[in-house]
Amino acid sequence: MISYSDLALMLSFTFMLYLTSQNHLIKLEQLLKEFQLWSDILPPVSAMTSTAPFCCDVMAFEQWLQFIFIPKMTELVVQRHPLPNNMALAPMAEHVWQSKPHGEVMIALLRQFDILLSQR
């Protein structure tokens, strides 16, 4: 049987996980905009249904983050649905942005997000 203090601790951890995830999503959007990786042009509908990892066959990684990842993760956070527990965005970011001026900052943020969600 679970104690009230254990339940309170679990609820507190869950709340902090959602709050921290939302903060990472906000920071990710801010950085995409700051580094001029944010687009005002929506990809075609067909691109949104790609089955390739990160839709890499039809859009840039930053587009995938903007148009697929951020909206889906935001919905999970807002609706308090289960969050992924094995996310690996940093390796893709390293592949794409390793030599770019903004690469180090973007990779670090995505690595932090990967670690956050895998610590459960």
Side-chain angles (χ1 to χ4, degrees), residues 2-16:
I2 193 165
S3 70
Y4 287 116
S5 61
D6 288 341
L7 180 60
L9 184 61
M10 288 174 15
L11 290 173
S12 176
F13 175 79
T14 301
F15 174 76
M16 290 306 298

Side-chain angles (χ1 to χ4, degrees), residues 75-87:
E75 182 178 344
L76 293 177
V77 168
V78 168
Q79 298 297 321
R80 298 297 192 255
H81 290 299
L83 299 176
N85 58 8
N86 189 14
M87 196 167 71

